[in-house]
C-alpha cells in the first residue's frame, strides 16, 4: 500500500502505524470474540447438540492456542471440545483431547492465575462436593499411599496434587477418560485412570465406575469395598445392592450397609420398604431361597404391576422352582411390557426351544431383531442375542446386527 508522507521520516512511521492498525485490528477483535464462544459451547453441550458443540468447540480450542489466554482457560476450552466428542461416542478422539487438556492444566503457573471459573459437567456428572477424606480401597498387590496424602496407589502418586486455582476440574476430566476406556472395554486402562482421582473427590458415579473396573479386572475384594462405599454415599444405589448380593454378601450385612442407623426397623417410609423388598428378594434368589424370594417379588408386583424387572425376577424364580409353564407366562408378560429388553432373553429362548411351541419362532426372531436395534452399541447385548438366536434355532448372529 502506497502512503504519502508529507512530514518526512516521522510522517512515514505514523502512516505505517495507521496501516498496521487497519490491517491487524479486525484480526485481534476476532480473537477477542472467540473467547465468547465458550458460553455458547457450554449451552450446546447442555442441550446435547453434539455436532454443533464439536464445530464451535473445535474453533474455540484452536483459537485459544494463539490468543495468548491463560493455560488453565485453554485447558477448559479443549476439555469442552472433548466433551462434544464423548457425546458423539468418538472415544479415541475424546481421550486424546482430554489428555491434552490435563497437560495444559498442569502447565498453568501456580501463582498469579486468573480467578477460578466453574466448568459445567454436561456429560451426566455432578460437581464434586467437599467431603471428609476417606481411605478408598486400593488395588491388591499395590502398596497404599502415605497417610499424609490420601491417594490410593503409586499410579495416583505420579499425578501431583494441584493446590492452585484452575480452570479445569481434573477429577471430572479423569472420570470422563475412565468412561471412554470403559466404553471401549479397556478396563485396565479405565482402572489406571480412575485410581488417580483423589479419594476425597470420588463421587457416587466415580466410585461406581471404580467398582465395575475392579470387578472386570478380577479385583473382587476392592470391587466389593467400592460397592459398599456406594451404598454409604447413597443407599438407593440398587445396582450396588445387586452386585453385592450376586457376590454372596449376607443379607444381614447388606441390611447394615443399606440401613446403617437401624437395620431391623420395619416402620420406615414407602421408599425404604421398596428398597428392603428389592434387597431381600435379590439376596433370597441368589441364595436359592425360592419361597422368600417369591414372597418379596410378589409384594413388589402387587405394588407395581407390570414392572419388567420384577416380572423377570418372578420368571427366574419359577425356573429355579422348575415350573416352566409359570416361567414362560412371566417371560411372555415381560415381553408384552418391554419387547426390546435383552436381559433374560437367552433363558426365554431356551424355554421356547425345550417346549417346541408352535408359532413362537417368528415372535422370537422379531423380538431379537428389535432388541438388537435398541442396543446396537452394547457388546454384551450382542453376545446375549447371539445365544438367543442359537437357542431359538437361528444362526447366532443376532438377527443381522454388527456381527453379521
Amino acid at each position: 500500500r502506497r502512503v504519502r508522507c508529507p512530514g518526512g521520516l516521522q510522517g512515514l512511521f505514523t502512516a505505517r502505524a495507521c496501516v498496521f492498525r487497519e490491517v491487524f485490528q479486525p484480526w485481534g477483535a476476532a480473537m477477542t470474540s472467540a473467547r465468547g464462544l465458550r458460553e455458547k459451547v457450554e449451552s450446546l453441550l447442555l442441550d446435547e447438540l453434539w455436532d454443533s458443540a464439536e464445530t464451535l468447540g473445535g474453533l474455540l480450542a484452536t483459537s485459544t492456542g494463539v490468543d495468548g489466554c491463560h493455560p488453565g482457560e485453554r485447558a477448559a476450552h479443549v476439555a469442552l471440545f472433548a466433551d462434544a466428542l464423548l457425546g458423539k461416542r468418538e472415544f479415541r478422539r475424546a481421550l486424546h483431547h482430554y489428555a491434552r487438556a490435563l497437560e495444559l492444566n498442569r502447565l498453568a503457573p501456580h501463582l498469579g492465575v486468573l480467578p477460578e471459573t466453574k466448568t459445567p459437567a454436561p456429560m451426566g456428572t455432578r460437581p464434586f462436593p467437599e467431603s471428609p477424606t476417606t481411605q478408598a480401597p486400593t488395588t491388591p498387590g499395590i502398596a497404599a499411599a502415605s497417610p499424609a496424602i490420601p491417594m490410593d496407589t503409586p499410579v495416583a502418586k505420579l499425578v501431583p496434587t494441584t493446590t492452585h486455582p484452575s480452570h479445569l476440574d481434573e477429577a471430572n476430566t479423569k472420570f470422563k477418560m475412565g468412561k471412554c476406556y470403559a466404553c471401549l472395554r479397556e478396563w485396565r486402562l479405565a482402572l489406571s485412570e480412575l485410581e488417580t482421582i483423589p479419594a476425597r473427590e470420588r463421587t457416587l458415579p466415580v466410585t461406581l465406575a471404580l467398582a465395575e473396573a475392579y470387578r472386570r479386572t478380577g479385583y473382587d475384594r476392592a470391587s466389593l469395598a467400592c460397592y459398599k462405599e456406594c451404598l454409604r454415599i447413597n443407599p438407593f444405589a440398587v445396582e450396588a445392592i445387586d452386585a453385592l448380593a450376586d457376590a454372596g454378601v449376607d443379607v444381614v450385612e447388606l441390611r447394615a450397609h443399606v440401613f446403617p442407623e437401624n437395620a431391623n426397623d420395619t416402620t420406615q417410609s414407602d421408599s425404604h420398604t421398596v428398597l428392603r423388598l428389592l434387597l431381600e428378594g435379590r439376596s433370597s434368589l441368589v441364595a436359592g431361597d425360592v419361597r422368600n424370594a417369591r414372597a418379596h417379588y410378589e409384594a413388589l408386583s402387587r405394588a407395581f404391576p407390570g414392572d419388567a424387572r420384577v416380572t423377570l425376577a418372578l420368571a427366574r424364580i419359577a425356573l429355579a422352582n422348575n415350573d416352566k409353564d409359570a416361567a414362560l407366562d412371566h417371560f411372555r408378560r415381560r415381553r408384552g411390557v418391554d419387547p426390546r429388553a435383552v436381559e433374560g432373553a437367552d433363558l426365554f429362548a431356551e424355554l421356547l426351544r425345550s417346549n417346541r411351541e408352535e408359532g413362537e419362532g417368528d415372535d422370537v426372531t422379531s423380538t431379537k431383531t428389535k432388541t438388537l436395534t435398541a442396543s446396537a452399541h452394547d457388546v454384551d447385548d450382542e453376545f446375549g442375542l447371539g445365544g438367543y438366536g442359537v437357542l431359538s434355532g437361528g444362526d447366532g448372529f443376532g438377527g443381522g446386527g454388527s456381527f453379521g
Side-chain angles (χ1 to χ4, degrees), residues 252 254-257 259-266 268 276 280:
V252 177
L254 263 179
R255 282 200 211 103
H257 286 292
F259 309 105
E261 296 180 357
N262 192 349
N264 297 318
D265 186 13
T266 57
Q268 296 177 350
R276 184 181 293 277
E280 297 188 2

Side-chain angles (χ1 to χ4, degrees), residues 16-33:
R16 286 183 175 178
C18 293
V19 171
F20 181 86
R21 284 196 300 270
E22 181 181 347
V23 173
F24 290 100
Q25 192 169 5
W27 181 84
M31 290 298 98
T32 304
S33 65

Side-chain angles (χ1 to χ4, degrees), residues 84-98:
L85 298 175
L86 177 56
K88 293 182 65 177
R89 302 182 65 86
E90 296 186 25
F91 303 120
R92 298 288 183 191
R93 289 182 66 197
L95 283 167
H96 170 75
H97 290 286
Y98 280 133

Side-chain angles (χ1 to χ4, degrees), residues 311-350:
T311 307
L312 175 62
L314 289 171
R316 286 178 169 169
I317 291 169
L319 276 178
N321 204 28
N322 202 25
D323 189 351
K324 294 184 179 181
D325 293 335
L328 276 172
D329 183 57
H330 287 303
F331 275 124
R332 291 196 190 96
R333 193 176 306 163
R334 177 175 183 261
R335 188 177 63 176
V337 173
D338 191 358
R340 296 177 183 268
V342 173
E343 187 180 3
D346 53 343
L347 298 175
F348 186 27
E350 186 176 1

Side-chain angles (χ1 to χ4, degrees), residues 132-213:
T133 301
T134 57
Q135 186 64 34
T138 59
T139 307
I142 300 180
S146 171
I149 304 177
M151 301 181 74
D152 298 315
T153 65
V155 178
K157 292 180 182 179
L158 296 176
V159 183
T161 303
T162 56
T163 57
H164 60 282
S166 170
H167 289 266
L168 183 68
D169 188 345
E170 287 199 7
N172 197 14
T173 303
K174 291 173 183 176
F175 169 64
K176 292 173 184 176
M177 292 181 72
K179 182 188 292 188
C180 289
Y181 282 124
C183 291
L184 293 169
R185 297 298 191 267
E186 298 178 1
W187 296 105
R188 291 195 177 276
L189 291 175
L191 181 59
S192 66
E193 200 64 52
L194 293 169
E195 281 188 324
T196 63
I197 300 175
R200 65 181 181 85
E201 295 184 350
R202 293 181 181 177
T203 58
L204 178 59
V206 175
T207 309
L208 197 57
L210 262 174
E212 179 70 7

Side-chain angles (χ1 to χ4, degrees), residues 137-139 191 195 210-219 222-223 226:
T138 59
T139 307
L191 181 59
E195 281 188 324
L210 262 174
E212 179 70 7
Y214 278 129
R215 186 180 69 83
R216 296 275 187 165
T217 51
Y219 297 130
S223 175
C226 284

